[in-house]
Amino acid sequence: MSAPFGADVVAAVCGHMNDDHAGDSLLICRTLGGQPAATRARATGLDAEGMEFAVTVDDIEVPVRVPFAHRLTERAQIRQEVVRMYREACQRLGLPPRRAG
């Protein structure tokens, strides 16, 4: 099965997450990625099934993969799914999600 997203899309999404949404990535990795002690997270990749991060726990970087709720086939779905993951992470922690905008 071929990957639906090329290297350019993966690099753009990871760059955007790391530059503009590092805190959101950390929240996602702490809750959905099973790393509650994480102090940093950076997006390192994604495919149709999930997103990959490098997470710092006790000054050691460990890989974390957070699965998507469903298989993605189009680039526009990536943003929708990451927003869903962020909102789910907020809900699990009892935090109000930031307003989009």
Side-chain angles (χ1 to χ4, degrees), residues 16 28 42 54 73 76 98:
H16 174 70
I28 289 166
R42 65 183 171 84
T73 57
R98 192 179 59 254

Side-chain angles (χ1 to χ4, degrees), residues 27-94:
L27 194 67
I28 289 166
C29 289
R30 282 179 173 167
T31 56
L32 307 182
Q35 295 292 337
T39 55
R40 286 173 100 162
R42 65 183 171 84
T44 58
L46 67 100
D47 59 28
E49 306 291 335
M51 193 156 195
E52 297 164 357
F53 299 88
V55 177
T56 302
V57 179
D58 295 327
D59 294 324
I60 299 169
E61 197 168 77
V62 296
V64 170
R65 181 168 173 87
V66 180
F68 294 140
H70 57 87
R71 181 173 172 74
L72 307 185
T73 57
E74 299 177 17
R75 183 178 180 161
Q77 293 174 307
I78 298 169
R79 181 182 186 281
Q80 295 169 350
E81 184 59 13
V82 172
V83 168
R84 184 206 61 78
M85 291 190 308
Y86 165 72
R87 288 183 177 154
E88 183 178 332
C90 287
Q91 182 179 29
R92 286 189 186 189
L93 293 174

